[in-house]
Structures are given as C-alpha cells and as structure tokens.
Amino acid sequence: MDPKREMPKKNNMEHLIADRQEGIGVCGWILVSLSFLLVLITFPISIWACIKLVIREYECVVVFRLGHILSKKAKGPGMILILPCTDTLIKVDLRTVTCNIPPQEILTKDAITTQVDGAVYYRIHSAVSAIASITDVHSATFLLAQTTLRNVLGTQSLAQLLASQEEIAHSIQAILDSTMEQQGVKVAQAEIKDVRIPVAVQRPTAAEAEAAQEARAKVRSTAIRGKMNASKALKQASMVLAESPAGLQLHYLQTLTTLAAENNSTIVFPFPKNVLESLGQKNREG
C-alpha cells in the first residue's frame, strides 16, 4: 500500500479522536463538577465507587467521560480511578488472538475447486482505534481473513497453491496487516493449514506425478548405460594402446596438436614414466 495514501487515513483517525476529545460543553462540566463534589462529600465511602477495577498486565481500558474519550492513550495496567455517574470503561485484551479460518471453497486459476483452511494470529496494538473506529474488531478481522484467503488463492493455480504455500501465506498476512492497521490491529502471521483436493483431481494428478517419476528414472538409466558403454570403450582402447607403445605416443602427439590449435597459453602434457626412467639410466651410465 502506498504510504502517501496511509497518511490521510491516519490523520483522519487522529482528527476523529481529537474531535471526540474536545470540550464536553457547559452541561458536561456541570455534571463533572457535581460528580466530583459528590465524591468529596461522601468520602471515604465514595472511594469504593471510584476504584472501578484493577487492570492486568495484558489489558488496558478506554475511558469515556460523558460519551467522549478521556485521553488519547488507554489506561492500564494497574488500578483505575473514575468519577461515578460520568465515566464508563471498555476493557481491551492486548494478547495475541488465534483466528481459525474454516474450510473455504476456492476456485483456482485453472478452474479446480478445492477446500482450504487456515489460521491468522493478530493482536490489538491501539485500543483507542480498535474501540473508536470499528464496532467489533474481532469479527471484522475474522471476516476479512476469510475474504482475503479466497481472493488471494483464486489468483493461483493448483500447482502454485501446493508448491508456494509459504509465499501465499506471507501475501495474505501483508494484505490483512495493511488493511487492519487503521483499526488498531497488528496481524503477526497467517498460515495455510490444509488443502483438500477432490478425489476426481487426485487420480490424474497422481498419474501425472508417476509418469514424471518414470521419465526421470528412464533418463537416469539411459545415462548409466551411456557411462557403462563409455567405460567399456575406454577399457578396449587402453588394451589396444597397451599392445602398441608407438600408438600411445601417436595419441599423445595428436592430443598436443588438438590443444595447440585452440590458442591456449598453457599446455599440460603427460610424459611417459618409462621414458624418464630410461633417460635417467642413460645419464647414470654416462
């Protein structure tokens, strides 16, 4: 997603929250003052009404005062103090949520119907956005995950779906994360759990895989036979050259001529060991 398009959305959300946090009006201040006065008059009994609840480490609370969000940041963890009659609380769980996507009927790019199920792991990173911008963030994430799974898999063939599940899962995670970020949701991971192929498609697919395996086996056997024939030919050639030392020398000279024709700067030429031994004996005798 284009970052330039994300900025106006973020600004709109900030303006929306800021508008809700603007003055609560004269009547609102009167009610807040009366509530605060009531707390002072009935103190210390009223302290039990002000201490609403204790927020755990993995939770936070969005406080509404006369229908307006009290602050830009959610409160918690710890003890929360409120004004009776004017403040209301909404608790938000910040732990990672597992969303199991039920089996979805997918029509792949090559017109094959399959059933695919998956899982999405997400958490709320902005409680204010999750409460102020959407009615039910968990239901919205669940429905969007189903739709995204069908849309992304509908652009893939069956072979791509079976071979590239990890890449497809990363693509689904990126789409969900960019869409739900404005609602205060961070999608950490998306996974494809199972791909169910119809029986009518499994049989030709298995036959095709078996045929490909047989073809590879024939290619390997042909290569092995070729190596065996080449080794037999080399063995016969070595036997012929062993019977005629002069033929071996001629073969060396022919190899040297072939290498010299290729304009090589360095030539490694084997020299018979018996010739070196005969030269050494002649030098010792001399």
Side-chain angles (χ1 to χ4, degrees):
M1 185 177 291
D2 192 355
K4 295 182 179 179
R5 295 182 180 178
E6 293 182 356
M7 292 302 295
K9 294 182 179 180
K10 293 182 178 179
N11 293 334
N12 292 336
M13 179 59 62
E14 292 175 357
H15 289 315
L16 176 62
I17 296 174
D19 293 339
R20 295 186 178 185
Q21 291 176 339
E22 288 180 355
I24 57 178
V26 177
C27 294
W29 281 112
I30 293 174
L31 291 176
V32 171
S33 301
L34 291 176
S35 178
F36 187 73
L37 182 61
L38 180 63
V39 171
L40 292 178
I41 294 173
T42 59
F43 187 84
I45 299 175
S46 59
I47 192 64
W48 301 108
C50 295
I51 301 176
K52 194 66 176 178
L53 73 168
V54 177
I55 305 302
R56 299 181 181 90
E57 183 68 28
Y58 54 85
E59 295 175 334
C60 66
V61 167
V62 179
V63 181
F64 288 85
R65 177 163 293 171
L66 297 177
H68 296 268
I69 297 176
L70 185 60
S71 61
K72 292 183 179 180
K73 294 183 179 180
K75 297 182 179 297
M79 186 180 299
I80 301 299
L81 298 176
I82 64 171
L83 288 177
C85 305
T86 60
D87 294 353
T88 56
L89 307 177
I90 297 180
K91 187 188 298 183
V92 179
D93 196 329
L94 301 179
R95 292 177 292 182
T96 300
V97 180
T98 302
C99 175
N100 290 317
I101 304 175
Q104 303 292 310
E105 292 284 346
I106 306 297
L107 183 62
T108 60
K109 189 177 180 180
D110 47 357
I112 297 177
T113 303
T114 60
Q115 285 190 346
V116 182
D117 57 353
V120 175
Y121 305 90
Y122 68 93
R123 61 180 178 84
I124 296 176
H125 71 87
S126 176
V128 175
S129 298
I131 295 299
S133 63
I134 193 167
T135 306
D136 188 349
V137 65
H138 298 289
S139 177
T141 305
F142 176 71
L143 295 176
L144 182 63
Q146 291 184 357
T147 305
T148 305
L149 180 67
R150 290 195 295 266
N151 292 341
V152 172
L153 297 184
T155 61
Q156 307 292 326
S157 63
L158 180 61
Q160 293 173 339
L161 176 58
L162 296 175
S164 305
Q165 294 187 15
E166 186 174 356
E167 290 78 4
I168 296 174
H170 284 309
S171 177
I172 295 173
Q173 183 266 335
I175 295 173
L176 290 174
D177 190 32
S178 61
T179 305
M180 297 301 297
E181 184 180 3
Q182 305 302 322
Q183 282 70 40
V185 175
K186 173 65 178 178
V187 180
Q189 190 176 359
E191 293 290 342
I192 296 177
K193 295 168 57 179
D194 189 19
V195 178
R196 299 182 181 88
I197 305 175
V199 179
V201 180
Q202 292 180 7
R203 294 173 181 174
T205 303
E208 183 180 356
E210 185 178 357
Q213 186 176 3
E214 290 179 356
R216 289 193 295 267
K218 290 180 180 179
V219 171
R220 288 196 295 268
S221 62
T222 302
I224 292 172
R225 285 197 298 268
K227 291 180 179 179
M228 291 178 62
N229 295 332
S231 62
K232 290 178 181 179
L234 289 174
K235 182 179 179 181
Q236 294 176 359
S238 64
M239 293 174 62
V240 172
L241 292 175
E243 295 176 356
S244 177
L248 181 61
Q249 296 297 327
L250 291 175
H251 184 69
Y252 285 159
L253 294 174
Q254 183 180 1
T255 304
L256 181 61
T257 304
T258 304
L259 293 175
E262 297 179 358
N263 297 324
N264 292 324
S265 59
T266 303
I267 298 175
V268 180
F269 185 73
F271 200 77
K273 184 178 179 181
N274 54 1
V275 176
L276 294 175
E277 292 177 352
S278 62
L279 291 175
Q281 291 178 358
K282 291 181 179 180
N283 291 332
R284 286 195 296 271
E285 292 176 356

